[in-house]
Amino acid sequence: MLVIHPDKIRWLFWLRWKLFLRGFTREKSRIISTIFMVVFGFPLFAGIALVTYIAYRFLPAPANAEILFLVLTVVYLLWMALPLLEFTVNEGLDVSKLLLFPLTRSELMVSLLFSTLLDIPMLGLILVFVAVVAGWASSLPVALLTLVAVLIFYAQVVGISQLVLAALMSTLQSRRFRDLSIILIALFSMSCYLIQQLLLRGIGTGDFVTNIERARFSLYLQWTPPGMTASAIQQASLGNWGASFAWLGVSLVTAVLVLYLWARVLERSLSTPEVGGAVRVRQRKASRAAAVEAAATATRPRVAGGSILERIGFTQVFVIAIKEWKYFWRDPQLKAMLLSSLYIVIIFLVGPFLNPGDSFNSLGFLSFSAPLAVFFSVFTLSYNTLGMERQSLTTLFLFPVKPLRILLGKNLAVAVIGIVELLILSLASAALSHGWPLVLPVLAMGLAGIGVVIGCGNVSSVFLPQRMRQMQRGFQATGSSSGNAGCIRGLMSFLMLGVSLVVLSPVIVALFFPLYFHIRWVWVFSIPAALLYGIVFHQLVTWLVAPRMLARAPEILEITTRE
Amino acid sequence: MTTFPGEANAAATTNQALQPPHMEASSSNAPAVMARDLVRVFGQKMAVNHLNLTVQRGEFYGFLGPNGAGKSTTIKMMVGLLRPTSGSVWVGGVDVWKDPIRAHSLMGVLPEVLNIYERLSGREFLVFAGHMYGIPAGDIRRRAEDLLQVLTLIDDADKLIVDYSVGMRKKIALAAALIHRPEVIFLDEPFEGIDPISSRVIRDILRELTQRGTTVFFSSHIMEVVERLCTRVGIINQGTLVAEGTLQELRERASGEEKDATLEDLFLTIVGARSEHQNLSWLE
């Protein structure tokens, strides 16, 4: 039943437009991210559109058709996946908020279709579609058919993305999926370097065009919705109008089917009662009075004393470290940071294999790259150690724990991670480069570096804390996850990195120069000295900074827990 | 003692004269909570204006006020989360801002916005809190299990707090605030979002605690709860403590109003809220 009131459609579009604008006026950071997307994303899409246009126009058949099949398939898959990651950000697609109003299914679908026009990535997609039409417009009839085919494909793309959204609505709202999406985005971001290397090795070879000409992706892709659109365009360009219209018809039927399924799934998801998240109330067998008595008396008496470890505070340090490790594993945002730090380590291991002829792969550099990698890794985890607590810092500051123990607990957690990374990396580097004689100085430099970096991190955490916003889900939500001060934040982080390097320079000199000047006997003295330097620096700085943390607690909270 | 607008300054002076300016550490005669000339300014706005109040040990003190009156700001200053522009706060005789660690060991706090460790399970969080409060390891587990049992969280004790409902989060936060048996417990809107069964359990626990000497300082909008539980009430409006006393005292001093007025009536009278007749003729 196609019951559509134009007035309601107009007001729904007005709503979408208002939300779109308010997204910028209420969140200034979104303006910056949008500008960033336009400045970098628009040229990227324009570049893709230009390259594909050139491919359609100038590559010989059937290579140009194979490119078309690939491009449309990639677009289709991307538009299925992207909304899953940006669901909570795009309010215009949040149908649940329109449930209260008497809107028909058709009105909801039409409004949602129009909503997508206000998605910035859709502007890029339009460029790609323009390139398809322009690239295949060898004659007016072909251009017209291509235009119709692209419009049908647009409806398919929007429909399938909305169908997936509607079908997975409950999954999208689950905490586990949100956590997973944060990790996946982080992994994807990290793997861009590796993907770039693989692509360059694929596209950069002279056989790329030949391989494309010989490729037969279309044999398999033609049975997919994007393949149907590409087949219609391809057949029209070859003059096979019968086959072209047949494929166009099938594509149209598919589009209608997708939209129909979307409507049905949407209707079912809207009428299904919510499950989960309810408080389970269980009847207790014990009487309430007895339970209250147990609560009041169980907390008395307070046993005096405690073990020696408890009395010197080591237990609290250790408990805080355990809590940190649990959080590094369970909190997706911190897990992503941990994976990022591990990724740096992996790149340092894998890098030499990607550039085997590089002169930097000499014995010394490869081995000493290990502490450098760990340096950056540990810096990531320690320069804003209080800010990483996010809102929970309020709870931590309410406990009667000496600030020195808080810092030591957090430092212990990061140090252990750094030491594990250092061991793996230095041993692997030594095995790869047969640099076993360098293991000791490398380890010494790494351990000293960990002490220095963590010490400097304590300083920056107390005097230059930064807010780390709780990540929701999606690309836009993760855009400024590590802080909200933008350029200032970046500058401060860069400053602390520089200070850490400067402080570490005596260690670098003491350990690297004997290698360079072939006077390795100096290591007998410089290795223990470097270790001592790192430990003393960390202890001194932490001891000096801890009282200031207590004094500045409200100010630190104001910065790090600001809503 | 009851104070009303116009008498506040006189009462503050009297209070100040009775109390020594420097408190001895955690003396048994010291009030549970004492605030002197507490001021907090945000930009141009005076959120808390020279607030003076004293809560004796074992009292169940209700802190009321309309939205934006300064309740949460006051509590945050009392527990050491927000630095006062000026003034002092003592909890159990300990200056919160001069000796924050000792002060925190005497208090438990349930803030309005729960910022607890969501990626820990309920049990893990209680054990963590126990260690942070310096409770011997042998006692922590037992207390944690008792609290989980009482607050009907035992079946969800190993679930991550991020998966808890609002009410469950409040209960686990309350458990963490009680595990070290504080002398004073601060609660900011403790009954928001909690089901009636849990609410009853919490109220009974708090009442029992006050009978055993714990002082409860809490803010709430739910007048019926305050009326039922509190021994004394303080009403704050636009950053100023405009009334304080027992419910009976507040009723007796209510100028010309019914002696059987409810706390809600007294509150609305004191803060000057007017009931305006809204003309919604299109509803007819």
Side-chain angles (χ1 to χ4, degrees):
Chain A
M1 288 258 210
L2 287 174
V3 179
I4 300 174
H5 295 98
D7 255 0
K8 287 184 182 175
I9 299 297
R10 186 166 60 88
W11 279 106
L12 285 170
F13 190 75
W14 170 87
L15 173 69
R16 182 65 188 94
W17 176 246
K18 276 291 177 187
L19 292 173
F20 176 72
L21 286 182
R22 296 261 164 86
F24 298 111
T25 56
R26 293 298 296 268
E27 289 180 46
K28 300 293 187 286
S29 61
R30 199 158 160 212
I31 298 175
I32 297 169
S33 63
T34 304
I35 292 172
F36 186 86
M37 205 185 300
V38 169
V39 167
F40 291 99
F42 189 78
L44 177 66
F45 274 106
I48 292 171
L50 183 64
V51 167
T52 52
Y53 166 78
I54 292 170
Y56 303 146
R57 273 287 179 189
F58 299 109
L59 279 181
N64 57 351
E66 296 297 326
I67 295 286
L68 178 65
F69 274 90
L70 283 176
V71 167
L72 293 184
T73 302
V74 166
V75 165
Y76 197 79
L77 291 174
L78 265 180
W79 250 251
M80 275 175 64
L82 277 179
L84 296 177
L85 300 172
E86 296 188 20
F87 176 72
T88 57
V89 179
N90 192 341
E91 281 198 40
L93 297 177
D94 191 353
V95 178
S96 62
K97 292 186 179 172
L98 299 172
L99 280 178
L100 298 172
F101 305 105
L103 295 167
T104 65
R105 190 192 308 161
S106 309
E107 285 163 350
L108 276 173
M109 284 170 53
V110 170
S111 71
L112 290 173
L113 267 173
F114 277 126
S115 291
T116 59
L117 290 173
L118 292 175
D119 293 342
I120 291 172
M122 187 58 72
L123 296 176
L125 189 64
I126 289 173
L127 285 177
V128 174
F129 287 161
V130 166
V132 171
V133 174
W136 289 89
S138 54
S139 65
L140 183 61
V142 174
L144 285 173
L145 186 130
T146 306
L147 181 63
V148 171
V150 162
L151 287 172
I152 292 172
F153 182 65
Y154 167 76
Q156 277 188 14
V157 162
V158 173
I160 194 66
S161 70
Q162 296 306 309
L163 173 61
V164 169
L165 260 178
L168 298 179
M169 203 178 282
S170 59
T171 306
L172 292 174
Q173 289 167 349
S174 79
R175 191 261 305 171
R176 280 186 168 74
F177 181 82
R178 291 201 306 268
D179 290 353
L180 185 63
S181 69
I182 292 170
I183 302 287
L184 288 175
I185 289 168
L187 286 174
F188 176 73
S189 305
M190 287 185 294
S191 59
C192 282
Y193 170 73
L194 292 173
I195 292 171
Q196 177 213 27
Q197 291 291 315
L198 289 170
L199 279 176
L200 285 174
R201 277 157 178 73
I203 297 172
T205 63
D207 297 332
F208 175 71
V209 175
T210 312
N211 291 336
I212 284 291
E213 284 177 350
R214 290 181 192 161
R216 287 293 177 265
F217 305 115
S218 54
L219 279 178
Y220 311 101
L221 294 177
Q222 65 180 338
W223 304 112
T224 64
M228 294 169 190
T229 304
S231 297
I233 296 171
Q234 182 192 28
Q235 295 301 318
S237 72
L238 293 173
N240 301 332
W241 291 100
S244 176
F245 278 113
W247 280 116
L248 196 66
V250 172
S251 184
L252 180 63
V253 167
T254 307
V256 170
L257 184 64
V258 165
L259 291 172
Y260 172 74
L261 284 174
W262 169 28
R264 290 304 302 266
V265 170
L266 189 65
E267 189 181 82
R268 193 172 60 179
S269 65
L270 293 180
S271 57
T272 301
E274 283 186 23
V275 292
V279 176
R280 283 186 291 163
V281 179
R282 292 172 185 267
Q283 298 299 319
R284 300 263 69 86
K285 286 185 180 173
S287 68
R288 196 176 64 244
V292 168
E293 176 73 16
T297 55
T299 55
R300 276 195 308 153
R302 181 175 297 182
V303 177
S307 70
I308 294 173
L309 290 176
E310 285 169 351
R311 266 182 262 148
I312 62 175
F314 182 74
T315 306
Q316 286 183 329
V317 170
F318 196 57
V319 164
I320 290 171
I322 291 175
K323 187 271 295 177
E324 292 290 300
W325 288 323
K326 283 180 181 171
Y327 251 73
F328 275 128
W329 189 247
R330 294 177 186 174
D331 186 306
Q333 200 170 351
L334 295 181
K335 188 188 260 187
M337 285 180 69
L338 181 65
L339 291 175
S340 298
S341 72
L342 291 174
Y343 177 73
I344 295 170
V345 169
I346 291 168
I347 286 297
F348 270 81
L349 268 179
V350 169
F353 291 100
L354 295 173
N355 299 295
D358 202 313
S359 60
F360 284 119
N361 290 337
S362 64
L363 176 70
F365 182 80
L366 186 63
S367 298
F368 279 95
S369 65
L372 186 65
V374 173
F375 174 87
F376 286 114
S377 167
V378 170
F379 177 80
T380 307
L381 299 175
S382 63
Y383 83 98
N384 189 31
T385 192
L386 295 177
M388 279 164 56
E389 287 271 342
R390 289 154 297 174
Q391 305 298 330
S392 310
L393 190 63
T394 309
T395 301
L396 187 62
F397 278 176
L398 282 172
F399 292 132
V401 185
K402 290 181 180 173
L404 183 64
R405 294 175 190 174
I406 293 176
L407 288 176
L408 287 178
K410 288 176 158 295
N411 292 169
L412 176 63
V414 174
V416 166
I417 293 170
I419 289 169
V420 169
E421 289 175 355
L422 178 67
L423 282 172
I424 293 171
L425 201 52
S426 55
L427 293 175
S429 299
L432 287 170
S433 62
H434 306 288
W436 296 104
L438 298 179
V439 168
L440 264 181
V442 163
L443 283 175
M445 187 185 287
L447 290 171
I450 288 172
V452 165
V453 168
I454 291 177
C456 291
N458 289 341
V459 174
S460 61
S461 297
V462 171
F463 293 103
L464 301 171
Q466 298 171 33
R467 184 177 150 229
M468 186 175 176
R469 196 171 63 186
Q470 192 82 34
M471 283 168 71
Q472 300 296 320
R473 189 169 64 87
F475 283 104
Q476 293 190 24
T478 62
S480 56
S481 62
S482 60
N484 228 25
C487 292
I488 298 173
R489 172 187 57 79
L491 204 61
M492 288 195 300
S493 309
F494 192 71
L495 183 69
M496 284 318 300
L497 186 67
V499 168
S500 305
L501 278 170
V502 167
V503 174
L504 196 55
S505 54
V507 171
I508 297 171
V509 167
L511 293 175
F512 192 71
F513 272 27
L515 176 71
Y516 189 76
F517 289 112
H518 305 289
I519 45 171
R520 298 186 186 191
W521 58 267
V522 174
W523 280 340
V524 173
F525 306 102
S526 61
I527 286 176
L531 286 172
L532 194 64
Y533 179 87
I535 293 169
V536 168
F537 179 83
H538 170 263
Q539 292 296 302
L540 187 66
V541 165
T542 307
W543 182 75
L544 287 171
V545 153
R548 298 305 306 153
M549 183 177 118
L550 189 64
R552 283 175 48 83
E555 286 72 32
I556 294 171
L557 282 174
E558 198 176 346
I559 294 169
T560 57
T561 63
R562 185 175 61 238
E563 291 294 328
Chain B
M1 185 182 69
T2 312
T3 57
F4 270 87
E7 298 177 12
N9 288 338
T13 308
T14 306
N15 274 338
Q16 208 161 12
L18 289 174
Q19 299 295 340
H22 299 289
M23 304 291 296
E24 292 301 323
S26 195
S27 68
S28 57
N29 292 329
V33 180
M34 193 164 74
R36 283 293 164 262
D37 279 326
L38 215 52
V39 174
R40 175 69 200 191
V41 178
F42 291 106
Q44 303 294 325
K45 180 179 162 73
M46 176 87 77
V48 176
N49 187 6
H50 295 280
L51 187 132
N52 293 279
L53 64 78
T54 305
V55 182
Q56 300 299 332
R57 290 175 186 271
E59 277 192 321
F60 205 130
Y61 190 90
F63 196 48
L64 305 178
N67 288 337
K71 300 188 302 296
S72 292
T73 303
T74 302
I75 290 178
K76 283 181 186 172
M77 287 193 286
M78 286 178 172
V79 302
L81 291 180
L82 184 67
R83 191 182 301 283
T85 306
S86 64
S88 304
V89 181
W90 291 267
V91 172
V94 178
D95 190 318
V96 171
W97 290 98
K98 286 187 180 160
D99 195 353
I101 293 179
R102 199 190 313 175
H104 284 146
S105 69
L106 300 175
M107 67 170 87
V109 182
L110 181 64
E112 183 180 10
V113 178
L114 298 172
N115 297 319
I116 50 181
Y117 287 101
E118 295 186 341
R119 299 288 168 166
L120 297 180
S121 67
R123 186 174 276 118
E124 286 173 344
F125 178 56
L126 284 187
V127 170
F128 177 75
H131 282 294
M132 293 300 102
Y133 281 117
I135 301 170
D139 284 347
I140 293 174
R141 288 268 170 205
R142 183 172 56 84
R143 295 187 191 189
E145 293 304 315
D146 287 341
L147 285 163
L148 288 168
Q149 189 78 26
V150 163
L151 291 164
T152 64
L153 290 172
I154 196 70
D155 294 324
D156 301 300
D158 294 316
K159 277 171 59 177
L160 295 187
I161 294 174
V162 70
D163 292 327
Y164 281 10
S165 65
V166 171
M168 292 163 75
R169 289 180 191 212
K170 216 147 258 187
K171 287 194 281 184
I172 199 68
L174 178 64
L178 293 177
I179 195 167
H180 62 301
R181 200 173 184 277
E183 291 186 20
V184 183
I185 178 158
F186 292 89
L187 307 120
D188 197 351
E189 306 285 355
F191 300 109
E192 291 276 317
I194 292 193
D195 60 272
I197 297 171
S198 305
S199 181
R200 182 67 181 270
V201 171
I202 293 172
R203 289 202 310 269
D204 289 342
I205 291 172
L206 295 177
R207 200 183 282 122
E208 184 77 20
L209 286 170
T210 53
Q211 286 169 5
R212 292 171 188 270
T214 303
T215 306
V216 175
F217 185 105
F218 93 114
S219 74
S220 178
H221 285 121
I222 307 173
M223 298 295 166
E224 292 79 13
V225 170
V226 175
E227 203 162 359
R228 211 179 316 160
L229 293 176
C230 296
T231 54
R232 280 177 71 231
V233 168
I235 299 176
I236 183 172
N237 190 25
Q238 294 181 354
T240 305
L241 194 69
V242 295
E244 192 183 27
T246 65
L247 287 171
Q248 191 57 34
E249 289 167 347
L250 290 176
R251 284 197 190 99
E252 285 170 1
R253 292 299 300 268
S255 53
E257 300 297 327
E258 309 87 37
K259 302 301 180 196
D260 296 328
T262 63
L263 179 60
E264 182 179 343
D265 296 329
L266 294 169
F267 174 80
L268 292 172
T269 304
I270 289 164
V271 302
R274 290 193 181 86
S275 173
E276 293 184 7
H277 178 66
Q278 303 288 342
N279 187 13
L280 298 172
S281 57
W282 47 265
L283 282 176
E284 296 166 17

